[in-house]
Amino acid sequence: SSGINAEYGGVGAYRDDAGKPYVLPCVRSAEELLVSQNLNHEYLPTHGCPNLRQAAKVLAFGADSVAVMENLVASTQTISGTGALRIGGEFIKKFHSSEAIYLPTP
């Protein structure tokens, strides 16, 4: 066994063979980087970090996308994957004619 159980990857958590949470080395490095910056814990704007939202739009649609270049793509940042799914579901419910949302089994 590798010692890491990725079965719980869908919810963003990993466990070792003993069932204890396992934090990926890249996450530890990111934590150390953030702590070293001595941030002030200021809240982000309501829709999230503008630079992150812009980078996500470019990643999703491409830098040469007309929609991105003409600022036709709306975006928001959430605090979690499930929060993002909730916002996406509410958007579909409000703006799409279908009542059904199909979800895969992880």
Side-chain angles (χ1 to χ4, degrees):
S1 171
S2 67
I4 306 304
N5 183 348
E7 175 182 347
Y8 302 107
V11 295
Y14 295 90
R15 306 250 175 221
D16 64 16
D17 287 339
K20 300 207 184 267
Y22 175 79
V23 180
L24 297 171
C26 60
V27 172
R28 287 281 185 226
S29 295
E31 287 174 335
E32 291 170 8
L33 177 63
L34 288 172
V35 168
S36 73
Q37 293 176 13
N38 197 25
L39 300 173
N40 62 12
H41 296 270
E42 182 65 67
Y43 286 108
L44 289 172
T46 304
H47 294 297
C49 175
N51 291 341
L52 175 72
R53 291 176 31 234
Q54 181 61 31
K57 289 189 252 187
V58 169
L59 178 65
F61 294 95
D64 58 348
S65 164
V66 172
V68 171
M69 291 188 295
E70 295 185 9
N71 202 28
L72 301 174
V73 180
S75 65
T76 191
Q77 180 182 354
T78 68
I79 60 170
S80 67
T82 52
L85 293 173
R86 169 66 187 229
I87 289 172
E90 291 293 332
F91 181 87
I92 291 169
K93 180 180 175 183
K94 185 171 183 172
F95 295 106
H96 194 276
S97 60
S98 174
E99 291 286 323
I101 298 175
Y102 298 97
L103 303 173
T105 301

